[in-house]
Amino acid sequence: MKTVLRRLAVAATFLSSVALSVPAGAADITWPSHQWGEANNAPIMLELKKLFEQENPGNTVQNITVPQAVFFDKQFADISAGNPADVATMYDADIRAYIEANLLEPLDAYYAAAGIAIDKLIPTRTLAQKDGKIYGVPFQINARALFVNEKLLNEAGLEPPKSFEEFQAAIRKMRRPDKLQFGYATVSKPGNTAVAYIEMMPIVAGFGGGFFKDGKPNATAPETVAALRFIKSLHEEQLIPRGMEVNAYRQLFVEGKVGMYATGAFFAASVANGNKDTFAHLNAIPLPFPSGKTTAITVFLGVPKAAKNKDLAARLLMRMLKDDIQARIVTVGKTVPGRVGLIPASFAADNKWFKAFEEAALSAASYAPHGAEQYGAEIAKIVVEHVEGMLYSGVSVDETADRLQKALTTFIASKRKA
Amino acid sequence: MAGPKIATLRDFGNPNGSMRRWQIDWSTRERLVPFFFLAPSFLALALVSLYPMAHAFFISFHADGVGAVGRFVGFEQYQRILSSDYFPRVLRISVLWTVGNVIFVWAVGLATALMLDRNFPGRPLVRAMFILPWAMPYVAAGLIWGWMFDYEFGVLNYLIQNAGLSASKLNFLLACPDALTSLTAVSVWKLFPLGTVMFLAGLQTIPVDHYEAARVDGAGPIQCFWYVTLPGLRNVTIMLTLLITIWTFGRAFTIIFLLTEGGPAGCTETIVIRSYLEAFKFFHLGTASAIGVIVLLIALAFSVAYLAYAYRKEVGNA
């Protein structure tokens, strides 16, 4: 018995000495994200983790890689179960839904303490604001511009298009069925409504349209109908690769089989890693659609109210907004960061394609339905189902717009009633 | 000199002993033993299956809420789902999907079983090859079929066009109802080995003298099949039908989610896919749980039929 007691005493002494050696208030900040596994984002996030841990001894950041396919489902399940991680990653519609459900911690005090002016953040920051408070940090904005492969354009005897008419002509001229070559690529596979909606929105906004305006359905607006007509023509004339996943036709661009593709600046890193020849001929221009408008997806980071280490997590997010990390988001991640005006001059000089994205970020509207952002996923499903009916079941453009308008009106009325 | 009395097991049986109440007679012990063996499995099932089911049932009576269970709404979720625009559509697609799977798994399974029941060189190897689809993981199979169906670069369109079977490319996954047909084909390809194995086992239980008697009576191969083989496989057919119905109705998810996610225009959206979308895309946990309960009830009806049939058969055999 004495031996057992002696051993217990030794163990207790050891454990208490270990506990005392850890600084008071030390914590593990949990940060699960699909972005830890992304070649362009992981180096920046690891650098932030390292700097934060050096500057806050005893505290650690747990980088938990979760595959993108399941990340948002898992995050929602964790938050719903009242057991969220310390840092949440959200896109436009997600952050609105979480703010409306009162699940995020306001960060105004942390912005003030870090000396970061909220009005110097990118314009889509407004998605993270409600009633004068801000609930998130914009990590990066992927405003849409048009990537062009100048080699394919030159082979077709063309210059980067400056108007919608030139753009249409270039799409047709670069289409070479014998070489499995396409002038343009956009959504072409049914099913994944979120991806389809995101891919479609730059075109719809580019025509000056939108499925929602000030919280009201807008599917029958002439601009929206014109955009739908253009999308249908791309399919019917087989001008774009059909039935392909987004990653598959992005790979076609990387392989030099697609001449033009509208997406965010992040895609340049994929081109650089995937095909040096295509990257050498890579350029980007503002979207050549009639209105000159574009859309963006913003990646927001926030701190859930039920998180265990809210204070530390908020300080970690503020650390991300410091100049050094903002510059790395540009140079390594090849995306526009949350704070405006921090693009290193040397990077801009070496990457002429980046200018189109930098400018787009200052004017782009969110891809989420205007005034009904929190219902983004449901609206995307309604819209995409109708557009798929138009593309794959022969429903006319005007009929699609009418049906869509009715469906969206019914939907938003049901939400208001609820 | 006698030392202190040491209690023995026998003492516990003493009517005056304090341990009397703990004594279990042999027959009771024998009756309890199966429950002790079942307890670990039951506990595991209760934890990972029964509790989530009960919780989903509980949530289905509450309003949709992110981060917390919403207010109690009684049967409102069920009423809303049953009167919604999408419910008849997803139910119809689920039924079509299930019926398609049952019919073709039965037909292809029976055809291959009849073929593999014959003696021919290399039969074990061919049998093993027919089992391969069953052994292949769903996700791998889904991704491979996705590329085979691809409109631009898929091998199926390439072969069809080169063989001159069609001048234009086929919309395997891009049109309605072609997409549901293609998905059913993949599911049948994945499930038919189960039918094959069950029918092979069933064929071997049909006595050879039944065929001999039929031939003596002048029956040809078709009559033998119709009057001997099919009746001989009646039990297997019923079991297989119920099993495939339960599996395909309640699990109409993986292949569909991988290949179309319910598109195009919702024409492959089953009730299970809808439940997933409601939960994880629209954040409607109450609605998703209510749909889940509806699926459970429908699958339960078939399960009860299956168990009743299995029980009756067992009693009949005894």
Side-chain angles (χ1 to χ4, degrees):
Chain A
M1 189 58 130
K2 275 182 183 172
T3 317
V4 173
L5 286 173
R6 199 179 304 131
R7 281 178 185 166
L8 279 173
V10 171
T13 312
F14 173 74
L15 286 173
S16 52
S17 65
V18 168
L20 288 171
S21 67
V22 177
D28 281 339
I29 303 168
T30 49
W31 184 1
S33 175
H34 57 286
Q35 293 187 301
W36 289 109
E38 292 175 350
N40 59 329
N41 286 319
I44 309 158
M45 292 161 73
L46 288 168
E47 202 171 315
L48 172 67
K49 167 185 155 72
K50 191 177 162 190
L51 284 170
F52 185 81
E53 288 174 351
Q54 280 171 1
E55 291 161 9
N56 298 272
N59 297 304
T60 52
V61 178
Q62 281 186 36
N63 48 316
I64 305 160
T65 309
V66 182
Q68 186 168 15
V70 295
F71 173 73
F72 291 100
D73 297 358
K74 189 179 180 310
Q75 178 169 271
F76 170 65
D78 289 344
I79 290 178
S80 292
N83 185 32
D86 296 319
V87 178
T89 303
M90 297 154 288
Y91 293 166
D92 308 29
D94 306 320
I95 195 164
R96 286 310 307 176
Y98 285 138
I99 290 172
E100 294 298 329
N102 197 25
L103 291 170
L104 296 177
E105 194 68 17
L107 301 174
D108 302 75
Y110 293 95
Y111 272 101
I116 293 162
I118 291 167
D119 61 356
K120 297 290 179 199
L121 299 175
I122 47 172
T124 51
R125 68 174 182 275
T126 51
L127 288 163
Q129 290 176 296
K130 188 187 175 190
D131 300 334
K133 287 183 179 171
I134 188 161
Y135 294 85
V137 165
F139 174 16
Q140 53 198 185
I141 176 169
N142 279 302
R144 267 38 185 170
L146 189 73
F147 274 116
V148 293
N149 182 335
E150 289 187 325
K151 186 181 175 186
L152 294 192
L153 279 169
N154 293 340
E155 282 172 6
L158 299 164
E159 292 287 314
K162 294 182 184 66
S163 65
F164 181 56
E165 289 69 30
E166 283 184 22
F167 175 59
Q168 281 185 301
I171 291 174
R172 287 194 170 80
K173 201 157 184 194
M174 281 196 281
R175 176 75 171 109
R176 293 279 304 274
D178 56 320
K179 292 172 75 177
L180 291 171
Q181 182 181 299
F182 298 87
Y184 183 59
T186 186
V187 57
S188 69
K189 187 174 190 283
N192 192 331
T193 52
V195 168
Y197 191 80
I198 287 168
E199 290 286 279
M200 202 191 316
M201 278 316 291
I203 301 175
V204 177
F207 275 83
F211 296 107
F212 264 81
K213 195 174 177 185
D214 299 323
K216 290 177 187 157
N218 191 42
T220 46
E223 298 85 1
T224 312
V225 175
L228 292 176
R229 194 159 278 126
F230 173 67
I231 293 169
K232 190 171 170 75
S233 73
L234 291 174
H235 277 255
E236 284 183 346
E237 295 177 46
Q238 310 225 354
L239 293 170
I240 54 171
R242 297 182 72 204
M244 295 188 85
E245 293 277 0
V246 62
N247 287 329
Y249 61 73
R250 280 178 181 169
Q251 188 59 28
L252 282 185
F253 185 95
V254 172
E255 298 296 332
K257 293 285 182 188
V258 169
M260 300 180 286
Y261 174 49
T263 190
F266 72 93
F267 183 55
S270 305
V271 180
N273 294 332
N275 190 328
K276 287 191 168 42
D277 184 53
T278 304
F279 189 65
H281 297 97
L282 188 72
N283 202 351
I285 57 170
L287 292 184
F289 297 112
S291 80
K293 291 180 183 170
T294 188
T295 55
I297 302 174
T298 308
V299 182
F300 288 98
L301 302 173
V303 180
K305 275 197 166 158
K308 291 182 186 73
N309 302 296
K310 289 191 282 193
D311 178 60
L312 271 173
R315 280 162 46 201
L316 172 70
L317 299 189
M318 292 307 128
R319 183 64 187 83
M320 173 177 269
L321 289 172
K322 296 283 181 191
D323 292 11
D324 54 347
I325 297 295
Q326 294 289 291
R328 298 292 283 163
I329 291 171
V330 180
T331 56
V332 178
K334 294 188 169 52
T335 53
V336 178
R339 283 174 63 204
V340 173
L342 292 178
I343 311 296
S346 58
F347 179 84
D350 293 343
N351 296 275
K352 59 178 180 172
W353 56 268
F354 196 77
K355 190 166 180 278
F357 295 98
E358 189 186 353
E359 288 172 357
L362 296 175
S363 63
S366 167
Y367 76 96
H370 186 246
E373 290 87 357
Q374 67 271 37
Y375 308 124
E378 289 163 273
I379 290 170
K381 177 152 172 59
I382 295 169
V383 168
V384 171
E385 270 189 10
H386 282 78
V387 173
E388 285 178 356
M390 176 186 84
L391 297 178
Y392 309 115
S393 300
V395 183
S396 74
V397 174
D398 294 318
E399 182 66 26
T400 300
D402 286 341
R403 288 184 192 177
L404 187 50
Q405 182 74 10
K406 278 181 198 146
L408 293 175
T409 306
T410 309
F411 168 78
I412 207 71
S414 73
K415 289 293 169 190
R416 287 193 184 125
K417 194 178 158 193
Chain B
M1 196 177 140
K5 188 175 183 288
I6 297 167
T8 64
L9 280 175
R10 190 185 296 266
D11 294 323
F12 292 134
N14 184 340
N16 302 320
S18 59
M19 295 300 286
R20 170 69 180 162
R21 63 180 179 277
W22 297 110
Q23 193 186 24
I24 300 169
D25 63 59
W26 181 254
S27 62
T28 310
R29 206 179 302 172
E30 217 171 25
R31 279 203 306 275
L32 286 177
V33 163
F35 293 101
F36 281 114
F37 280 120
L38 283 172
S41 305
F42 178 79
L43 281 175
L45 268 178
L47 199 68
V48 302
S49 198
L50 294 180
Y51 171 71
M53 261 195 277
H55 196 63
F57 194 70
F58 170 77
I59 294 175
S60 74
F61 291 105
H62 292 77
D64 294 322
V66 186
V69 177
R71 69 184 196 288
F72 180 78
V73 292
F75 284 95
E76 197 182 299
Q77 295 284 17
Y78 293 91
Q79 282 170 347
R80 208 164 40 78
I81 292 165
L82 294 174
S83 61
S84 69
D85 289 341
Y86 68 79
F87 188 73
R89 174 170 55 92
V90 296
L91 189 63
R92 184 176 55 82
I93 292 165
S94 299
V95 170
L96 276 176
W97 162 262
T98 307
V99 170
N101 268 279
V102 168
I103 291 173
F104 286 102
V105 168
W106 180 85
V108 179
L110 180 59
T112 47
L114 289 169
M115 190 181 82
L116 295 175
D117 196 40
R118 293 166 180 275
N119 277 319
F120 58 87
R123 188 171 73 158
L125 187 71
V126 178
R127 279 187 175 186
M129 278 173 60
F130 272 97
I131 299 299
L132 276 181
W134 178 253
M136 189 179 279
Y138 262 107
V139 174
L143 295 174
I144 291 167
W145 276 100
W147 272 109
M148 285 168 66
F149 283 137
D150 188 85
Y151 184 84
E152 298 291 350
F153 306 108
V155 69
L156 293 180
N157 262 325
Y158 174 81
L159 292 174
I160 286 167
Q161 287 205 299
N162 275 281
L165 296 173
S166 171
S168 57
K169 290 178 180 175
L170 299 184
N171 286 319
F172 288 108
L173 299 175
L174 300 184
C176 302
D178 310 37
L180 190 61
T181 311
S182 305
L183 291 175
T184 307
V186 178
S187 180
V188 169
W189 172 83
K190 189 81 183 67
L191 287 173
F192 87 87
L194 174 73
T196 307
V197 170
M198 286 178 74
F199 281 126
L200 261 177
L203 285 170
Q204 279 153 29
T205 62
I206 302 173
V208 180
D209 50 5
H210 286 198
Y211 288 101
E212 286 169 355
R215 276 190 217 107
V216 168
D217 289 343
I222 294 173
Q223 279 111 330
C224 278
F225 174 74
W226 192 255
Y227 293 108
V228 179
T229 308
L230 275 187
L233 293 175
R234 187 172 163 270
N235 286 336
V236 176
T237 298
I238 293 171
M239 293 285 250
L240 183 71
T241 304
L242 288 169
L243 268 180
I244 298 292
T245 303
I246 294 163
W247 285 356
T248 51
F249 187 85
R251 300 181 188 174
F253 185 80
T254 314
I255 289 288
I256 301 172
F257 190 74
L258 285 168
L259 292 180
T260 64
E261 292 190 35
C267 75
T268 61
E269 188 180 309
T270 59
I271 193 166
V272 183
I273 293 272
R274 184 72 195 198
S275 173
Y276 168 82
L277 293 176
E278 289 287 349
F280 294 107
K281 299 296 173 199
F282 311 153
F283 302 160
H284 297 162
L285 275 186
T287 310
S289 300
I291 296 176
V293 171
I294 293 170
V295 173
L296 181 73
L297 291 176
I298 296 170
L300 203 63
F302 287 104
S303 301
V304 168
Y306 172 81
L307 290 173
Y309 180 77
Y311 178 74
R312 226 175 58 185
K313 199 173 151 232
E314 202 177 302
V315 170
N317 287 342

